[in-house]
Amino acid sequence: MDYPHQRMAAAAHDRAGLRRSDEAWLEERWADPETRVLVIAGTRVRPVDGALAWVSAAEAPEGLRVLLGERDGRSWFAVITRAEGASIDAGWFPLRGLLPHLADQEIAAAPLVFHALGIAEWIFATRFCPRCGGGLEVQKSGHEMVCTACGKSQFPRTDPAVIMIVAAGEPGAEDERCLLGRQAIWPEGRYSTLAGFCEPGETLEDAVRREVLEETGVLVGAVEYFGNQPWPLPASLMLGFLGRAESTEITVDHDEIEDARWFTRAEMKAEAEAGTLVLPGGVSISRSLVEHWYGGPLPGHW
């Protein structure tokens, strides 16, 4: 089965990590008219005519140059400029606002965009050395920062987060059910898979069990790895799992989620078709987990 989240990683680029300090090579690639650049103001980009605007290096403004890598016979960069004036009213959007564009028109650009905005988010949030509070100097084409006081290096961080579809009953049986939850701020009818961050000293499987128990009171036994998806909102790696429930009584925490429900396949199909159940978006690993359990595509999405 072709899962939706896999389409966002189908055209990965060569990140050319060994070239990040090669100034002569970087200048040569920057001067190439085939090179393409994504302009980022702070942590936002501005679509043009409903699509992401990749410009030539000659058209790019001054700013911090970030080497993304090579793909399709050309080099790809991002330029990070000041955030002043980059408001939504002026047409600048954070990554979450760009996902519809990536899903509908430029799915092949997703790895490049996630790379660029992930670096931009890290640079925006990492202002001072966490060891001594000194200033930081960006090096290696945006992929390292070095403290000007103590010399300690900082590198981009990615936080592991588990996301899971939990099922109860005999696998494949008509009455098998899966567990979905919803947050209070979501529109009526919107449900999704449960998710949460892995804590220090915790295995990913135990993180699945803990998060499900904390949010819904459901005990999970067996946990099986499904797949992963970079999710730089601002710096996560979503690690997907399939869990088998050992209990079915639901007691929601009313903190992270306001409701959780068990859905049979028949209930899920009927409610999705009626529009009373709104499932996750088409390119998310959450959608892939739901459709994997269901056994095929489902109508409607966020």
Side-chain angles (χ1 to χ4, degrees):
M1 180 175 174
D2 178 26
Y3 294 110
H5 78 282
Q6 293 174 331
R7 296 197 298 270
M8 297 191 77
H13 51 289
D14 174 2
R15 296 187 174 224
L18 297 178
R19 294 291 193 177
R20 291 170 183 166
S21 298
D22 188 339
E23 296 300 331
W25 183 89
L26 290 168
E27 287 301 324
E28 176 186 320
R29 303 316 300 155
W30 186 261
D32 187 337
E34 290 297 312
T35 290
R36 290 295 175 265
V37 181
L38 183 65
V39 179
I40 304 174
T43 60
R44 297 184 174 191
V45 299
R46 183 166 57 187
V48 176
D49 296 328
L52 292 179
W54 290 90
V55 301
S56 69
E59 297 171 301
E62 290 296 319
L64 173 65
R65 297 180 190 176
V66 176
L67 173 66
L68 303 177
E70 297 187 295
R71 199 190 72 186
D72 300 333
R74 59 172 37 149
S75 297
W76 302 77
F77 287 79
V79 166
I80 304 174
T81 65
R82 297 173 65 87
E84 286 78 1
S87 66
I88 292 178
D89 290 340
W92 293 87
F93 292 90
L95 178 57
R96 194 176 296 276
L98 291 174
L99 290 179
H101 300 296
L102 294 177
D104 297 336
Q105 298 183 31
E106 299 183 43
I107 197 69
L112 288 162
V113 176
F114 277 19
H115 185 177
L117 288 176
I119 293 292
E121 289 276 4
W122 170 63
I123 290 173
F124 180 80
T126 311
R127 303 299 182 89
F128 302 99
C129 174
R131 171 187 280 177
C132 73
L136 296 170
E137 181 181 83
V138 179
Q139 297 185 4
K140 293 189 177 178
S141 297
H143 293 78
E144 181 178 346
M145 288 192 281
V146 178
C147 178
T148 58
C150 72
K152 181 175 176 59
S153 293
Q154 301 297 320
F155 300 93
R157 296 292 190 266
T158 297
D159 299 318
V162 293
I163 185 167
M164 45 276 184
I165 190 85
V166 176
E170 185 67 24
E174 185 175 338
D175 62 349
E176 185 188 19
R177 298 169 287 169
C178 79
L179 181 65
L180 301 178
R182 59 170 278 108
Q183 296 181 14
I185 61 172
W186 290 353
E188 185 177 356
R190 179 181 290 186
Y191 281 79
S192 183
T193 49
L194 303 178
F197 287 101
C198 186
E199 294 186 349
E202 184 176 46
T203 68
L204 296 170
E205 292 82 0
D206 282 341
V208 169
R209 299 182 181 102
R210 174 182 55 76
E211 286 289 344
V212 174
L213 182 63
E214 289 177 356
E215 295 182 358
T216 68
V218 172
L219 292 170
V220 173
V223 175
E224 180 184 350
Y225 178 70
F226 173 77
N228 67 84
Q229 181 179 45
W231 201 249
L233 295 166
S236 299
L237 176 66
M238 305 303 295
L239 297 145
F241 290 89
L242 314 171
R244 300 302 304 183
E246 295 186 340
S247 69
T248 57
E249 183 178 351
I250 295 173
T251 305
V252 297
D253 63 1
H254 293 291
D255 180 16
E256 295 188 50
I257 65 171
E258 70 156 10
D259 187 37
R261 287 179 55 192
W262 292 103
F263 293 86
T264 65
R265 290 179 177 84
E267 290 169 340
M268 181 175 287
K269 180 176 186 291
E271 294 191 36
E273 288 177 344
T276 54
L277 172 63
V278 184
L279 294 167
V283 295
S284 67
I285 193 171
S286 181
R287 180 75 176 202
S288 296
L289 285 164
V290 170
E291 292 191 347
H292 170 81
W293 175 82
Y294 178 76
L298 284 159
H301 59 82
W302 302 355

